[in-house]
Amino acid sequence: MIVLLSDFGMADGYVAAMKGVIARVAPNEVILDATHDIPPQDIAGGAWALANYLSFYPPGTIHLAVVDPGVGTGRSLVLVEADGQRVFAPDNGLLSIWLGGVATHQAWSIRKNWHRPGGESATFHGRDILAYAAGLLATGSLPPDVLTELDYPLMRLPESVVQIEKDHMIGQVMHIDRFGNAITGITRQHLDHYKSKPKGIVLPFGDKIPFKRTYADVAVGKSLALINSSDHLELAIHAGNASLNHGLIRGSQVKIVF
């Protein structure tokens, strides 16, 4: 099974082109679409979407993720494996949020100038390199010399970095969802570092909000923080829009006090 994510949309045939490349080398492989509605060039948005679904697929699933404003530059194309999932993607931070939630991972870079037969476009590595590699891996025919184990860390988005201190931690908002909830890079694992529950959450303009279990634990229109369904700390308003009301944007700093 190969699962696709991109910022291509469905109108221009780009997704179909990648599927065609896969189908030529792996005609019996199931190909699924996660989403192709990531906003154009929005690496952080792609990282959030990817992290939301990867762990729910069967071990051995191959994922192809392409949000790649640096296509054609010196950035690497990689294969990363963790918790049984295998992901082809550009090394540009797209895997940051997913990797922040796994204990260990392995990573390989794809050999420079390797591509499907018939030529390579400098602006469509998703089709000419990543889709071709995914199809070959699915059939067990990816040449071993195509992959080289990485000897440097994968790129991480700054929003995914969490600063842990003795009595507090500092993180950043990394995603605003369609409800206006502000989702941070702080996870349940980060909170578990402390032996007590948070005393409060301090927002960028000095607003302080309580830590609760679910939205209905506060009255309608009141603010709260909680651990959401993706195990990330989320800043919300019960039946409201936390991003608008508190002036939260991607990169806004959040302090958790213990």
Side-chain angles (χ1 to χ4, degrees):
M1 181 188 305
I2 299 175
V3 183
L4 308 181
L5 170 145
S6 78
D7 59 348
F8 295 160
M10 295 299 288
D12 298 308
Y14 302 138
V15 174
M18 291 196 299
K19 290 181 177 180
V21 169
I22 295 170
R24 281 206 171 198
V25 296
N28 298 318
E29 196 68 21
V30 174
I31 305 174
L32 301 179
D33 296 299
T35 180
H36 300 291
D37 292 330
I38 303 301
Q41 294 90 47
D42 186 358
I43 296 171
W48 174 248
L50 190 69
N52 259 315
Y53 68 79
L54 272 176
S55 64
F56 294 100
Y57 282 85
T61 298
I62 298 169
H63 302 268
L64 173 55
V66 188
V67 181
D68 193 16
V71 64
T73 67
R75 62 91 188 89
S76 297
L77 297 172
V78 296
L79 169 64
V80 180
E81 183 170 352
D83 289 349
Q85 307 299 319
R86 298 174 288 176
V87 188
F88 285 102
D91 182 19
N92 61 5
L94 188 57
L95 306 182
S96 297
I97 301 172
W98 172 54
L99 291 176
V102 300
T104 60
H105 69 271
Q106 290 182 284
W108 301 264
S109 62
I110 296 176
R111 190 177 77 218
K112 298 292 185 184
N113 302 316
W114 179 86
H115 53 78
R116 69 183 179 90
E120 170 204 5
S121 167
T123 62
F124 204 170
H125 288 172
R127 178 194 67 190
D128 297 338
I129 301 175
L130 295 176
Y132 184 53
L136 292 178
L137 182 65
T139 59
S141 52
L142 183 66
D145 64 344
V146 169
L147 300 176
T148 302
E149 191 165 359
L150 281 185
D151 57 2
Y152 56 86
L154 289 161
M155 185 177 292
R156 300 295 182 98
L157 296 172
E159 295 92 341
S160 67
V161 176
V162 178
Q163 178 183 341
I164 296 179
E165 304 294 345
K166 182 178 180 180
D167 60 354
H168 70 275
M169 71 172 64
I170 295 174
Q172 296 181 46
V173 172
M174 61 182 183
H175 181 69
I176 307 294
D177 71 13
R178 66 190 303 268
F179 300 101
N181 299 318
I183 299 156
T184 74
I186 297 169
T187 67
R188 187 190 302 273
Q189 284 182 312
H190 291 123
L191 296 183
D192 287 345
H193 177 81
Y194 299 87
K195 299 187 184 299
S196 60
K197 290 185 178 181
K199 294 178 181 177
I201 290 84
V202 183
L203 304 185
F205 297 103
D207 295 337
K208 296 181 180 179
I209 63 175
F211 180 74
K212 298 293 184 179
R213 187 182 68 87
T214 190
Y215 306 105
D217 286 344
V218 299
V220 171
K222 294 296 184 181
S223 302
L224 71 152
L226 50 73
I227 294 296
N228 67 14
S229 61
S230 300
D231 270 355
H232 281 259
L233 185 79
E234 177 182 304
L235 314 172
I237 292 178
H238 185 188
N241 188 310
S243 174
L244 290 178
N245 284 31
H246 292 291
L248 298 169
I249 60 174
R250 188 179 290 165
S252 291
Q253 184 171 289
V254 180
K255 182 177 181 180
I256 317 300
V257 180
F258 293 88

